[in-house]
């Protein structure tokens, strides 16, 4: 057990990074300063790896919820000190059973901020920077600064966005991927007693979109089922919530509040009546609250397992000391314990990562007509009637689309305009679709002077 | 390979990044827009002769209307206007389709909501939406939502046909 002379981390921890007490990082040094049977073949024990972790390695944690809290704890205790955390949510009372960086007094406060405060006070030297924002609020200059990004997200859309962002940061020289532009993405996900952890090297290994079909369809009850053919207790609850509440206005014009026991009781009773009508069992007060608050049951131990797996991968990749997971691990302890690891393969026509945008060299004063001619006349492209679109200020702009008459008429004037007049800039991405291409082809504008 | 990546990163210690041009998210083409460029370009070649598409805004490829004039069946001689809206999260989520013309149809409410398993994200029997589907799949079409219409059709086909024609005369001309 701990030596009585060793100061405990909980004691006033106001030391700065330079005052690590004796033996503080012994547990990490065991992995980095001596050889072992499981190390990477190229591994050389040294004191440099630990220094890198403590002083230089910058990690981004996305999500400060079930997985995020565990991740922050694991990373901070492993020696990572430069950590940023992004989460757009505030703390709800139902989070408190497992998101252990939060307390009752924190309900309503931003998760990222409370999590950062807790870790910074508890672990001397650790500097977690919180961001109470959506991941989409940041641009590439923000993400570029990190060595590794770990996700504990709760939505597929967010994962795809992050995936797309990291792929867009990749740079190629003469068609060869520059390894220093790769930012590894460690992604963890859990639902009840099931979870998965994966290592993604954008541009090299399978990305989120490559394995999109692995995700189960999201639960969404269609209105027709709710309205006329309920089968599940959830349908009865949704009926009461969506149709009866606004109609009967039992509480006046107030909207349904999932944390108000009287509201939940009312919905519960209406749902029971409907369930009785259709001979459906299973409507309980607890289920009612879960459906109204959209609570997906979460289990602390699953989060602990998956976050541990993810944090281990961050450690391995940051130190290059061990061979990382290659590349997808699933975990299930619904009945006994099951885990399996496999190498997810890249999809040939993946909409996110299978294409390296091809270079298009034009002067900014060239007309759009010239670009169109290049696409049709170039020997290796030989397109027939390409449609060209781009994104400006986050919105689509159709530059020219020949195959829909009404759009062709309205975009024809663009052909006589210069690329600069159309608002295009150096590095601009163009999406081109043609009868000769099975899917949209991406090009990157390279302005010549 | 992985170790190499880390080693290079290590030396720069979080470099400011190369000047690779306008690649911030304001200029990055979203998955939806990328898919739509192809799907809209192919749209007219996939439309049956009974359908016509119109785009109120040429830059908003995610929002358009479809005019359907069936040449056979109960709905012959009617002209029905549908509105298609493709959400940002496409193609994880299906397009939203509404019928703007009032119609007496077992799968379409009098408010224009359409009950079609293909348009739903979660379907027990596998006929629901999947990322492998495209706008092309939507154009081919047949859980009754308008129960009264469904029951009517079962009860008395002739009378159902009359009511359909009646609605067409009033709303779909």
């Amino acid at each position: 057990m701990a030596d009585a002379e060793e100061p405990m981390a909980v004691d006033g921890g106001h030391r700065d990074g330079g005052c690590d007490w004796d033996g503080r990082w012994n547990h990490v040094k065991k992995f980095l300063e001596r050889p072992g049977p499981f190390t990477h073949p190229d591994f050389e024990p040294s004191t440099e790896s630990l220094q890198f972790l403590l002083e230089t390695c910058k990690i981004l944690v996305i999500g400060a919820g079930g997985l995020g809290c565990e991740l922050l704890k694991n990373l901070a205790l492993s020696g990572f000190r430069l950590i940023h955390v992004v989460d757009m949510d505030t703390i709800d009372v139902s989070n408190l059973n497992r998101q252990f960086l939060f307390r009752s007094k924190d309900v309503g406060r931003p998760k990222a901020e409370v999590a950062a405060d807790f870790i910074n006070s508890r672990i001397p030297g650790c500097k977690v920077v919180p961001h109470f924002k959506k991941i989409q609020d940041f641009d590439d200059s923000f993400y570029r600064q990190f060595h590794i990004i770990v996700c504990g997200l709760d939505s597929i859309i967010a994962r795809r966005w992050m995936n797309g962002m990291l792929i867009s940061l990749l740079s190629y020289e003469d068609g060869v991927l520059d390894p220093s532009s790769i930012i590894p993405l460690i992604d963890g996900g859990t639902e009840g007693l099931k979870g998965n952890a994966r290592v993604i090297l954008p541009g090299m290994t399978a990305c989120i979109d490559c394995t999109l079909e692995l995700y189960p369809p999201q639960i969404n009850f269609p209105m027709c089922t709710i309205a006329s053919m309920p089968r599940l207790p959830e349908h009865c609850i949704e009926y009461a919530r969506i149709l009866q509440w606004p109609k009967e206005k039992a509480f006046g014009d107030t909207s349904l509040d999932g944390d108000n026991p009287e509201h939940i009781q009312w919905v519960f009773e209406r749902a029971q009546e409907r369930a009785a009508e259709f001979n459906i069992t299973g409507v309980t007060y607890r289920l009612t609250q879960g459906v109204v608050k959209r609570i997906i049951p979460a289990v602390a131990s699953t989060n602990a397992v998956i976050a541990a797996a993810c944090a281990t991968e961050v450690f391995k990749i940051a130190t290059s000391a061990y061979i990382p997971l290659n590349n997808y691990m699933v975990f299930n302890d619904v009945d006994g314990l099951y885990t399996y690891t496999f190498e997810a393969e890249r999809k040939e026509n993946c909409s996110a990562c299978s294409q390296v945008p091809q270079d298009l060299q034009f002067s900014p004063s060239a007309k759009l007509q010239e670009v169109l001619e290049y696409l049709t006349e170039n020997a290796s492209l030989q397109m027939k009637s390409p449609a060209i679109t781009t994104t400006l200020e986050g919105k689509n702009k159709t530059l020219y689309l020949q195959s829909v008459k009404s759009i062709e008429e309205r975009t024809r004037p663009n052909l006589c305009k210069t690329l600069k007049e159309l608002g295009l800039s150096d590095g601009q991405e163009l999406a081109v679709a043609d009868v000769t291409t099975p899917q949209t082809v991406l090009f990157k504008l390279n302005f010549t002077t | 390979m992985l170790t190499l990546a880390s080693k290079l990163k290590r030396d720069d210690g979080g470099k400011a990044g190369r000047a690779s041009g306008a690649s911030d998210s304001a200029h990055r083409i979203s998955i939806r827009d990328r898919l739509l460029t192809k799907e809209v370009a192919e749209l007219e070649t996939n439309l049956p002769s009974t359908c016509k598409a119109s785009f109120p805004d040429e830059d908003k490829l995610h929002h358009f209307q479809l005019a359907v004039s069936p040449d056979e069946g109960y709905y012959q001689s009617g002209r029905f206007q549908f509105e298609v809206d493709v959400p940002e999260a496409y193609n994880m989520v299906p397009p939203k389709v509404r019928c703007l013309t009032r119609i007496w149809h077992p799968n379409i409410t009098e408010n224009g909501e359409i009950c079609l398993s293909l348009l739903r994200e979660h379907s027990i029997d596998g006929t629901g939406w999947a990322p492998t589907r495209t706008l092309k799949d939507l154009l081919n079409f047949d859980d009754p939502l308008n129960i009264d219409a469904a029951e009517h059709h079962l009860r008395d086909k002739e009378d159902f046909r009359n009511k359909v024609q009646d609605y067409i005369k009033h709303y779909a001309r």
Side-chain angles (χ1 to χ4, degrees):
Chain A
M1 292 303 288
D3 195 325
E5 284 165 342
E6 267 180 31
M8 297 251 288
V10 282
D11 260 359
H14 292 304
R15 301 158 199 277
D16 62 63
C19 300
D20 284 331
W21 55 90
D22 263 355
R24 182 177 187 189
W25 301 112
N26 278 356
H27 61 299
V28 181
K29 289 181 180 178
K30 284 188 167 72
F31 288 102
L32 302 178
E33 291 179 6
R34 57 185 200 179
F38 300 114
T39 53
H40 193 285
D42 297 337
F43 172 68
E44 294 287 345
S46 82
T47 51
E48 281 176 26
S49 293
L50 180 57
Q51 288 316 110
F52 175 64
L53 287 195
L54 292 171
E55 290 161 19
T56 318
C57 190
K58 225 165 170 183
I59 308 286
L60 175 62
V61 176
I62 303 189
L67 282 170
C69 286
E70 291 274 353
L71 280 168
L72 289 170
K73 157 184 70 81
N74 293 343
L75 293 172
L77 289 172
S78 304
F80 293 93
R81 287 186 157 153
L82 303 169
I83 306 175
H84 284 237
V85 60
V86 176
D87 194 312
M88 62 186 207
D89 265 338
T90 53
I91 300 164
D92 179 80
V93 66
S94 65
N95 301 145
L96 300 179
N97 72 328
R98 66 197 180 283
Q99 297 172 25
F100 51 80
L101 302 178
F102 314 142
R103 300 288 178 271
S104 311
K105 62 174 169 55
D106 300 318
V107 172
R109 282 189 60 200
K111 289 188 178 182
E113 290 172 15
V114 178
D117 281 345
F118 193 111
I119 298 278
N120 291 339
S121 331
R122 177 69 88 96
I123 301 177
C126 194
K127 292 183 268 293
V128 179
V129 178
H131 300 278
F132 177 36
K133 291 221 167 104
K134 299 208 298 267
I135 48 172
Q136 293 90 344
D137 292 337
F138 296 103
D139 65 13
D140 59 324
S141 59
F142 174 75
Y143 291 106
R144 245 187 253 278
Q145 62 179 305
F146 297 103
H147 290 91
I148 304 173
I149 299 185
V150 206
C151 285
L153 284 166
D154 59 358
S155 91
I156 296 169
I157 297 168
R159 282 183 172 86
R160 285 181 90 179
W161 190 92
M162 202 57 234
N163 187 53
M165 165 56 76
L166 294 187
I167 289 172
S168 75
L169 296 180
L170 298 175
S171 61
Y172 294 80
E173 279 181 28
D174 296 324
V176 177
L177 177 57
D178 172 15
S180 67
S181 64
I182 300 178
I183 300 179
L185 175 65
I186 318 281
D187 177 60
T190 64
E191 199 170 297
L193 292 165
K194 299 185 257 199
N196 77 287
R198 60 193 298 188
V199 173
I200 296 172
L201 299 172
M204 279 176 62
T205 61
C207 77
I208 300 282
D209 279 56
C210 290
T211 54
L212 209 50
E213 284 109 39
L214 287 180
Y215 287 108
Q218 310 286 283
I219 306 284
N220 227 316
F221 303 115
M223 266 320 285
C224 47
T225 311
I226 295 172
S228 50
M229 314 162 309
R231 288 182 308 269
L232 301 170
E234 286 87 343
H235 297 155
C236 302
I237 298 166
E238 287 286 80
Y239 183 82
R241 181 181 78 90
I242 300 174
L243 293 172
Q244 287 177 302
W245 177 275
K247 209 166 165 200
E248 294 179 30
K249 295 196 185 209
F251 291 81
D253 272 317
T254 38
S255 48
L256 182 49
D257 176 9
D259 287 315
N260 183 329
E262 285 180 13
H263 291 197
I264 299 293
Q265 183 64 27
W266 187 92
V267 174
F268 172 52
E269 284 166 11
R270 301 284 92 63
Q272 275 182 314
E273 286 162 15
R274 186 157 174 83
E277 251 186 83
F278 288 88
N279 277 320
I280 298 172
T281 54
V283 176
T284 62
Y285 181 88
R286 193 161 159 200
L287 182 68
T288 305
Q289 201 175 23
V291 170
V292 170
K293 290 185 72 172
R294 293 279 181 269
I295 295 175
I296 299 170
V299 179
S301 57
T302 317
N303 286 333
V305 169
I306 296 299
C310 291
T312 306
E313 294 309 312
V314 175
F315 180 81
K316 289 183 192 173
I317 292 177
T319 59
S320 312
Y322 294 83
I323 299 176
L325 175 72
N326 187 20
N327 55 40
Y328 198 118
M329 182 195 94
V330 302
F331 171 84
N332 182 327
D333 62 343
V334 170
D335 192 10
L337 180 69
Y338 172 78
T339 176
Y340 179 64
T341 301
F342 66 97
E343 185 180 343
E345 290 177 348
R346 292 183 77 177
K347 197 161 104 168
E348 258 186 65
N349 57 346
C350 175
S351 51
C353 78
S354 65
Q355 279 199 51
V356 178
Q358 298 179 50
D359 246 2
L360 271 185
Q361 305 221 0
F362 283 97
S363 149
S365 56
K367 302 223 171 75
L368 184 63
Q369 177 74 35
E370 292 175 48
V371 178
L372 200 71
E373 281 166 5
Y374 175 80
L375 293 171
T376 49
E377 287 161 21
N378 177 283
S380 52
L381 294 172
Q382 292 192 41
M383 296 196 176
K384 295 277 175 289
S385 53
I388 313 177
T389 63
T390 189
T391 297
L392 285 176
E393 312 280 314
K395 292 203 276 272
N396 181 66
K397 186 179 170 71
T398 307
L399 294 170
Y400 188 61
L401 203 146
Q402 220 172 319
S403 46
V404 178
K405 225 187 294 164
S406 54
I407 301 183
E408 195 278 333
E409 285 164 359
R410 279 176 280 170
T411 53
R412 206 185 305 158
N414 289 341
L415 292 175
C416 308
K417 298 202 181 135
T418 66
L419 302 181
K420 193 154 174 238
E421 278 172 351
L422 290 168
L424 307 179
S425 38
D426 189 34
Q428 185 92 25
E429 251 185 13
L430 297 179
V432 177
D434 184 61
V435 61
T436 56
T437 62
Q439 33 159 23
T440 306
V441 184
L442 287 180
F443 289 91
K444 215 164 197 173
L445 262 186
N446 206 326
F447 276 170
T448 55
T449 34
Chain B
M1 287 260 229
L2 302 163
T3 57
L4 187 64
S6 311
K7 283 205 178 86
L8 287 171
K9 265 271 153 77
R10 202 185 286 199
D11 295 334
D12 306 43
K15 55 203 170 159
R18 311 152 68 93
S20 54
S23 60
D24 43 322
S25 39
H27 295 285
R28 205 155 46 92
I29 303 183
S30 71
I31 295 198
R32 176 191 74 167
D33 292 334
R34 218 189 290 187
L35 291 169
L36 280 178
T37 304
K38 178 73 177 155
E39 292 182 29
V40 170
E42 293 187 319
L43 197 60
E44 296 225 325
T45 50
N46 291 324
L47 281 180
S49 54
T50 49
C51 301
K52 280 201 177 40
S54 60
F55 287 80
D57 183 343
E58 71 274 12
D59 285 330
K60 293 206 171 106
L61 296 180
H62 58 273
H63 181 82
F64 60 94
Q65 307 201 331
L66 265 178
V68 183
S69 313
D71 53 3
E72 52 172 1
Y74 288 122
Y75 301 93
Q76 211 174 357
S77 78
R79 189 178 172 280
F80 305 97
Q81 194 85 324
F82 289 84
E83 187 179 67
V84 182
D85 223 298
V86 185
E88 276 282 6
Y90 185 77
N91 58 354
M92 271 314 279
V93 300
K96 294 201 180 88
V97 187
R98 278 193 60 219
C99 186
L100 300 177
T101 317
R102 205 158 154 197
I103 183 176
W104 187 246
H105 188 291
N107 297 90
I108 306 180
T109 66
E110 305 224 39
N111 286 327
E113 292 147 328
I114 303 175
C115 176
L116 188 61
S117 57
L118 184 56
L119 292 175
R120 260 183 255 137
E121 285 175 62
H122 175 71
S123 184
I124 303 172
D125 55 4
T127 56
W129 181 259
T132 43
R133 304 202 202 270
T134 64
L135 288 184
K136 203 199 302 194
D137 298 307
L138 269 191
L139 296 176
N140 308 325
F141 68 87
D142 175 346
D143 260 330
L145 179 49
N146 190 335
I147 315 168
D148 295 330
E151 279 174 7
H152 193 180
H153 178 79
L154 284 172
R155 233 184 309 125
D156 185 348
K157 283 198 172 53
E158 202 45 52
D159 198 48
F160 177 81
R161 178 197 288 274
N162 290 337
K163 186 149 187 187
V164 167
Q165 287 297 326
D166 200 41
Y167 265 59
I168 291 178
K169 260 194 224 104
H170 280 115
Y171 305 113
R173 277 281 153 75

